[in-house]
């Protein structure tokens, strides 16, 4: 079941308050339209009744898609610095519903689910689009790190992310994007061959892959925020 909570939201442009339904959970198997809305960037977009400017609610929900083997905890982009705490919170929620604490029937479903934690709308869209394209999100994060080595310059700064957005023939499309405003700052085309090279040389990439996938927050950005879970524990 997909759950929504009625609430009053404030337009960030004119400060007018209005009623809206904020998502608490998405079941994409029963509501594939919601999955499509995430992919086309229309989900949770509100049109202000006063100034008529569109704005988007912050994401804070759990996403279930058994058909695509996904369970994703989605948080606001501003929570990323607390990713270790968020990972624990998300895993508790997953274990209660589909993991170690779940009833046998639910646990059987959970055994086939890939668990992820993401921060912000561009991140959840990326995970869904990658699965639809049949690409490995861990390899994509390694490719991003590889690109940072190759690019002469990159607009890398707090709140600015490199996100995969699509593929056509042998060309992958990435964007530098603001995680909170979703403003695209720069576009980047990448040959599919670079992705395939990582797959074919899996052994040499294994240590870095282990770092990127140390927890359900599978994202190169975890490497820039402290020494990781092992050091924290």
């Amino acid at each position: 079941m997909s759950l929504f909570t009625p609430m009053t939201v404030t337009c960030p442009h004119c400060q007018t308050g209005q009623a809206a339904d904020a998502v608490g959970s998405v079941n994409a198997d029963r509501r594939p339209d919601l999955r499509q809305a995430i992919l086309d960037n229309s989900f949770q977009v509100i049109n202000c009744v006063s100034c008529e400017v569109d704005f988007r609610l912050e994401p804070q929900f759990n996403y279930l898609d058994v058909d695509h083997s996904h369970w994703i905890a989605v948080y606001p982009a501003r929570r990323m610095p607390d990713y270790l705490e968020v990972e624990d919170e998300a895993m508790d929620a997953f274990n209660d519903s589909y993991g170690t604490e779940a009833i046998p029937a639910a646990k059987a479903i959970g055994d086939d689910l890939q668990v992820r934690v993401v921060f912000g709308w561009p991140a959840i869209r990326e995970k869904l689009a990658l699965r639809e394209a049949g690409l490995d999100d861990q390899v994509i994060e390694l490719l991003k790190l590889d690109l940072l080595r190759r690019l002469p310059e990159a607009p890398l700064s707090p709140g600015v992310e490199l996100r995969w957005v699509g593929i056509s023939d042998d060309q992958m499309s990435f964007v530098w994007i603001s995680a909170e405003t979703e403003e695209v700052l720069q576009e980047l085309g990448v040959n599919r061959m670079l992705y395939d090279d990582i797959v074919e040389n899996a052994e040499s990439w294994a240590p870095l892959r282990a770092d990127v996938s140390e927890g359900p927050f599978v994202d190169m950005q975890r490497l820039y925020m402290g020494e990781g879970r092992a050091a924290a524990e």
Side-chain angles (χ1 to χ4, degrees):
M1 179 182 296
S2 299
L3 300 176
F4 293 81
T5 301
M7 63 185 301
T8 299
V9 298
T10 301
C11 172
H13 303 281
C14 70
Q15 308 306 310
T16 298
Q18 69 183 77
D21 291 328
V23 65
S25 65
V26 169
N27 185 322
D29 298 291
R30 296 185 179 182
R31 292 289 306 274
D33 59 308
L34 300 184
R35 178 178 183 276
Q36 185 56 46
I38 294 173
L39 285 168
D40 66 25
N41 292 319
S42 64
F43 190 50
Q44 294 282 268
V45 173
I46 308 297
N47 182 257
C48 178
V49 296
S50 179
C51 68
E52 299 185 347
V53 172
D54 288 340
F55 63 97
R56 204 172 196 182
L57 302 185
E58 272 194 328
Q60 179 80 61
F61 63 98
N62 293 334
Y63 174 93
L64 173 66
D65 189 342
V66 176
D67 187 48
H68 290 88
S69 301
H70 257 156
W71 188 93
I72 305 174
V74 189
Y75 288 82
R78 57 183 170 78
R79 292 290 311 275
M80 190 184 296
D82 304 319
Y83 78 92
L84 290 176
E85 175 187 335
V86 171
E87 282 186 329
D88 291 339
E89 181 182 318
M91 288 307 303
D92 285 344
F94 176 80
N95 285 329
D96 286 343
S97 299
Y98 297 100
T100 55
E101 306 302 318
I103 61 174
K107 189 176 184 302
I109 294 172
D111 288 342
D112 293 327
L113 296 176
Q114 183 186 76
V115 180
R116 291 290 185 261
V117 169
V118 300
F119 297 92
W121 290 113
I124 175 64
R125 184 201 176 278
E126 179 184 55
K127 295 298 185 189
L128 302 192
L130 285 171
R131 179 55 56 86
E132 189 166 274
L135 299 174
D136 186 325
D137 66 333
Q138 295 180 11
V139 176
I140 288 293
E141 295 307 317
L142 296 177
L143 176 54
K144 292 176 185 177
L145 290 168
D146 191 31
L147 291 175
L148 291 182
R149 290 191 307 120
R150 296 171 180 271
L151 295 173
E153 59 180 5
L156 190 63
S157 63
V160 176
E161 304 175 336
L162 182 60
R163 292 294 173 194
W164 182 96
V165 293
I167 184 169
S168 177
D169 298 324
D170 62 348
Q171 281 292 112
M172 291 184 170
S173 298
F174 289 80
V175 294
W176 288 100
I177 190 170
S178 168
E180 292 197 10
T181 67
E182 301 179 60
E183 177 187 2
V184 174
L185 306 175
Q186 187 175 317
E187 298 180 358
L188 178 66
V190 177
N191 195 295
R192 165 70 186 257
M193 179 181 64
L194 296 180
Y195 175 95
D196 293 336
D197 283 346
I198 294 174
V199 174
E200 292 168 5
N201 295 280
E203 186 174 347
S204 62
W205 284 94
L208 191 54
R209 182 166 183 153
D211 291 338
V212 167
S213 59
E214 187 181 26
F217 175 44
V218 176
D219 194 299
M220 71 167 186
Q221 294 178 96
R222 70 181 297 134
L223 303 184
Y224 301 106
M225 293 182 290
E227 298 182 4
R229 180 165 296 279
E233 294 176 348

